[in-house]
Amino acid sequence: MFAPRTTPWPLVALFTAGYLAPYLLPTTVGRLERGLGLSATQAGAVGSALLLSSATAGFLLASRVERVGARTLARLGLLLAAVGYGGAALTTAVPAVVAGAMIGGFGSGTATTVAATRIAAERDPHRASALGLLSVSALAGVVYLTVPHLPGHGLTLAAIALTAPAVWPLTSRLPAGTPGPRRTGPGDATARLPHRRSGLVLAGAMLLWSLAQNALWGVSGRIGVGQAHLSEATVGAVFAVALGAGLLGVLGAGALGSRLGRALPIGGGTVLIAGCIALSASATGLGSFAAGEIAWNTIYPVVLSYLIGLAASLDPRGRWAVLVGSASSLGTAAGPLTGSVLSAQAGFPVMGTVLATGLLLVALPMTAVALHTGGRPLLPGAVRRRGGHPAAVIAAAPGTPTGTVPEVGAPEQPVVEIPLDGTPAPAQVTYDTAAATRAPGAAH
């Protein structure tokens, strides 16, 4: 009998609280621009500062979750999110809004770090991350349907702030300071990062991948209102439908699982996203704008769920999951400002072409990492058995422990001492130090 799979609801909730701020970025930036009288570049810079603070939390806390305790860090992150975003929502002073957004961003990053670390320790990290994306997409869709009908610059910030205390009760089910369930030995606490080359390539690619995504996402509201000539309520409805389509995409990814591996969803999905970005950035009416946004938001969470699973598979302790996620957050942080500058200098269509071209280039190294670590033997890093060929290395697919297995047909055999008849060799009478310069057979 197989043990039933339990749903890690505390991690799903924590994931939702951490990822909600990036999902609400377009309306957050748009509200700051209109509500506080900021320019598009200034509002984008505030959004970038928020996400940069979130990325900083990931880099600082990646190796400290187990030592400090998941429950303690999760509650600290939720507290900072509630205080920071709540304070920014209640004031109209721009410096205070920026400070509150950065404090809240650090809280979001802390919550995301704990969630990513614990999800990597799950038997099925892809399923847990898919559920998290499903939850955050649903909540963001509700906000997008509600916010356009209410006044004020801080409504989205308030929504993020209120999510934190709603998630707080579930943190009691997180470990206070116990190590992750996949730790396999006393040396794990100081073990070096495995798959360092693949992890660094993936982190760098994810930074650029997220930058391209959020450069468009940060200005999507302006494209809908300014270039496609839609009302804010219509743009909000398009975003809500797009996020609803994203729910279907995540459900499809969860049902598909690892049947297609990771390389095809990541590489092929990124190519499709590039086309969606070019279409959305050049939209001049409701049809093209809705088609680009809905198709993009359907594919984006699917590819993201496989990328999260790929990062989690590189290290069962979750360090690569956090570091790759933090690199992604750096790209996310630079996205709004990059999109604002590109669109201001060259216009939305040219911006979309530049971002789409960048995504096509980034798809290559991400696909290579997925092929290298997605089930193929990693011969350069294989462990060579004594007197045999390199052992095959199993990539950590969902539910599969990382490690080496002997080659099929060449099992390890126990060593048996066999006594030999005959005269024993004469005992060595004198001993001398070994000398590398002594010729073979030289006299003592």
Side-chain angles (χ1 to χ4, degrees):
M1 295 293 293
F2 293 101
R5 293 190 301 179
T6 58
T7 302
W9 291 118
L11 300 181
V12 172
L14 202 59
F15 186 99
T16 302
Y19 262 78
L20 187 59
Y23 264 67
L24 295 179
L25 189 64
T27 187
T28 300
V29 171
R31 285 284 170 143
L32 291 176
E33 179 184 352
R34 292 186 294 272
L36 299 179
L38 302 178
S39 66
T41 302
Q42 289 172 333
V46 175
S48 293
L50 184 159
L51 297 174
L52 180 61
S53 182
S54 179
T56 302
F59 284 118
L60 292 177
L61 302 175
S63 61
R64 293 176 170 83
V65 174
E66 291 181 357
R67 184 164 61 249
V68 177
R71 185 190 307 165
T72 301
L73 276 181
R75 288 179 172 176
L76 174 62
L78 294 176
L79 178 62
L80 291 175
V83 172
Y85 294 128
L90 295 174
T91 182
T92 56
V94 174
V97 171
V98 174
M102 293 184 67
I103 293 172
F106 194 91
S108 292
T110 302
T112 302
T113 298
V114 176
T117 302
R118 300 299 304 172
I119 284 174
E122 289 289 312
R123 292 186 60 187
D124 192 346
H126 180 267
R127 176 172 176 266
S129 60
L131 287 172
L133 289 171
L134 194 67
S135 175
V136 72
S137 297
L139 182 56
V142 172
V143 175
Y144 276 118
L145 286 175
T146 305
V147 166
H149 303 285
L150 300 172
H153 78 281
L155 286 175
T156 52
L157 296 172
I160 306 171
L162 293 174
T163 303
V167 171
W168 183 284
L170 292 175
T171 60
S172 61
R173 295 166 57 184
L174 295 174
T178 56
R182 285 194 192 168
R183 292 178 58 147
T184 57
D188 284 347
T190 57
R192 294 180 62 188
L193 278 169
H195 305 303
R196 302 187 76 178
R197 181 171 57 184
S198 296
L200 289 173
V201 171
L202 183 60
M206 276 292 288
L207 188 153
L208 299 175
W209 188 84
S210 296
L211 185 148
Q213 309 283 335
N214 285 276
L216 179 66
W217 189 236
V219 298
S220 287
R222 290 168 50 205
I223 293 174
V225 173
Q227 182 173 277
H229 309 293
L230 306 175
S231 67
E232 184 185 359
T234 303
V235 171
V238 170
F239 287 158
V241 172
L243 292 174
L247 298 180
L248 298 178
V250 174
L251 287 174
L256 186 63
S258 58
R259 291 181 180 86
L260 296 179
R262 294 193 182 101
L264 181 59
I266 289 174
T270 299
V271 171
L272 292 177
I273 288 173
C276 294
I277 285 180
L279 174 61
S280 183
S282 61
T284 56
L286 176 59
S288 54
F289 179 75
E293 293 290 329
I294 293 171
W296 174 34
N297 281 277
T298 302
I299 303 169
Y300 166 79
V302 176
V303 180
L304 181 59
S305 68
Y306 280 98
L307 286 170
I308 292 173
L310 176 59
S313 74
L314 297 179
D315 177 25
R317 291 185 61 210
R319 290 170 294 179
W320 274 126
V322 175
L323 292 175
V324 170
S326 298
S328 174
S329 296
L330 283 178
T332 302
L337 186 58
T338 301
S340 297
V341 172
L342 279 176
S343 60
Q345 297 296 323
F348 293 121
V350 174
M351 177 202 71
T353 301
V354 171
L355 297 178
T357 302
L359 278 177
L360 293 177
L361 296 176
V362 167
L364 297 176
M366 292 196 305
T367 305
V369 172
L371 287 172
H372 188 60
T373 61
R376 290 186 172 187
L378 304 181
L379 297 181
V383 178
R384 186 173 295 278
R385 294 189 290 118
R386 185 173 60 251
H389 299 289
V393 177
I394 297 181
T400 306
T402 303
T404 60
V405 293
E407 295 176 313
V408 177
E412 291 284 359
Q413 300 294 332
V415 178
V416 180
E417 293 185 2
I418 303 175
L420 300 175
D421 296 331
T423 305
Q428 181 74 35
V429 178
T430 59
Y431 296 89
D432 196 2
T433 57
T437 58
R438 180 170 296 163
H444 291 283

